[in-house]
Amino acid sequence: MAGTQNDEGVVRSDYYALLNVDRKATVDEINNAFRHLSKIYHPDKHVDPVQKKKAEDVFNKLRKAHD
């Protein structure tokens, strides 16, 4: 198996892919990728309830990956 699955169904090895960074990325690169994606997927940026819920799900996964 490529990675271990956590409670939310996200495979740990996919955290880098979720943030769209290389596995050898520096902390700064990870932080920059998180900031960039969180601006796009922050739930407060979306008005439509369906889009807001989808953005919230992605944003929570991004936060988990950033941690």
Side-chain angles (χ1 to χ4, degrees):
M1 189 161 144
T4 357
Q5 195 168 6
N6 68 8
D7 297 340
E8 296 173 6
V10 176
V11 179
R12 288 182 191 265
S13 63
D14 286 341
Y15 285 153
Y16 293 97
L18 183 65
L19 290 171
N20 196 29
V21 294
D22 188 55
R23 293 187 64 69
K24 297 177 185 176
T26 65
V27 174
D28 286 338
E29 291 171 326
I30 292 170
N31 287 338
N32 288 337
F34 172 73
R35 279 190 212 105
H36 173 73
L37 291 170
S38 65
K39 288 178 185 177
I40 296 169
Y41 292 105
H42 196 283
D44 291 346
K45 297 266 185 185
H46 302 276
V47 179
D48 178 45
V50 174
Q51 292 296 328
K52 186 171 186 147
K53 178 63 178 154
K54 288 180 184 178
E56 185 177 326
D57 292 341
V58 173
F59 185 75
N60 287 334
K61 289 177 186 176
L62 288 170
R63 285 185 22 215
K64 184 90 171 156
H66 182 251
D67 289 341

